[in-house]
Amino acid sequence: RCVQETGQDTGLSAISTGDELRKIVKGTSSFSYPKDLVDTIKETMLAGKLVSDHILLDIIRSQVQDPSITKGVVFDGFPRTTNQLNLYKEHFPVHLVINCLLKEDILIEKLLGRRVCENCSANYNVCGILRDGYDMEPLSSKKEGVCDKCGGKLVSRQDDTEETIKARLREYETKTCLLYTSDAADDLLCVDLGGRRIIKKK
């Protein structure tokens, strides 16, 4: 939701790679993909692992080349590895990287509270947190369990279990964290939000 609001404020097109991957699995993407690719993506996501860099870049390339995109793009969840950043930079410019940081227990609690509309994929969150310096209100629907946008049923994502979330966090620590100190980020402005650091590499 934060990325979507940033897109609205700046006139940039907001693209969530996670949302697109879930649409591919559900068969609701505006692009068509082979069944074996869909099965591979589904198996990978349920295991809490990252989809291969080349598959993800192909998906990104299709979206970025959409004629409706005229001013630029703000990504949610991409790039997540140094290789993804290098592959992307071969085709498109990158101007700013923002890394939003939360304490692990807070992040797990918020993700377990996430709810998604079965019909339109709108995001909500039933978890409110007011402790340890965090003041995060729930992002609730007006009617419990019902999407404000289309009236669809709100459900927990299949991969939002504590076990899978922790597996995703380990993937983040071993792959994504390395991105910000890698040579691939040397020409970028990288900003961490959450109390750790600000890295200026430009």
Side-chain angles (χ1 to χ4, degrees):
R1 181 174 291 190
C2 179
V3 170
Q4 292 172 344
E5 292 176 354
T6 300
Q8 292 172 359
D9 292 341
T10 60
L12 300 174
S13 298
I15 294 179
S16 167
T17 53
D19 285 350
E20 178 63 15
L21 288 170
R22 284 183 287 277
K23 288 178 182 178
I24 291 172
V25 171
K26 291 173 63 178
T28 58
S29 172
S30 56
F31 302 94
S32 60
Y33 300 92
K35 183 179 182 302
D36 58 342
L37 176 62
V38 173
D39 291 342
T40 297
I41 292 173
K42 184 174 183 179
E43 182 179 338
T44 302
M45 291 176 65
L46 289 178
K49 297 181 179 179
L50 299 180
V51 173
S52 77
D53 296 340
H54 287 282
I55 289 176
L56 195 58
L57 188 68
D58 285 343
I59 294 169
I60 289 292
R61 188 184 292 113
S62 297
Q63 292 186 299
V64 170
Q65 293 174 344
D66 189 310
S68 66
I69 295 177
T70 58
K71 292 186 176 180
V73 173
V74 54
F75 285 110
D76 177 9
F78 180 88
R80 295 195 180 191
T81 68
T82 300
N83 191 46
Q84 285 179 8
L85 177 58
N86 283 326
L87 289 171
Y88 184 84
K89 287 169 66 178
E90 290 178 4
H91 302 276
F92 307 103
V94 181
H95 303 290
L96 174 67
V97 177
I98 300 176
N99 187 30
C100 298
L101 301 168
L102 292 174
K103 290 176 59 179
E104 183 168 311
D105 62 319
I106 300 291
L107 184 56
I108 292 173
E109 191 171 343
K110 286 297 290 184
L111 289 174
L112 289 174
R114 178 162 52 184
R115 300 292 183 269
V116 181
C117 176
E118 281 187 325
N119 184 45
C120 72
S121 300
N123 284 279
Y124 300 86
N125 201 297
V126 300
C127 177
I129 295 176
L130 183 58
R131 69 173 190 276
D132 299 335
Y134 291 95
D135 186 357
M136 306 170 74
E137 296 182 356
L139 300 173
S140 304
S141 57
K142 295 176 182 178
K143 184 177 180 181
E144 184 177 354
V146 179
C147 178
D148 294 340
K149 295 183 178 181
C150 71
K153 181 181 178 182
L154 301 183
V155 298
S156 296
R157 275 175 33 180
Q158 194 172 2
D159 59 341
D160 272 349
T161 65
E162 186 167 353
E163 180 181 2
T164 303
I165 290 169
K166 287 182 176 179
R168 292 206 301 266
L169 290 173
R170 300 293 83 78
E171 286 268 310
Y172 172 83
E173 291 171 356
T174 59
K175 295 182 179 179
T176 307
C177 279
L178 299 177
L179 188 156
Y180 302 101
T181 55
S182 70
D183 292 341
D186 279 346
D187 59 343
L188 302 180
L189 173 60
C190 301
V191 180
D192 276 6
L193 303 180
R196 285 190 189 175
R197 67 193 186 282
I198 295 178
I199 304 174
K200 297 187 72 173
K201 288 193 167 190
K202 196 167 185 180

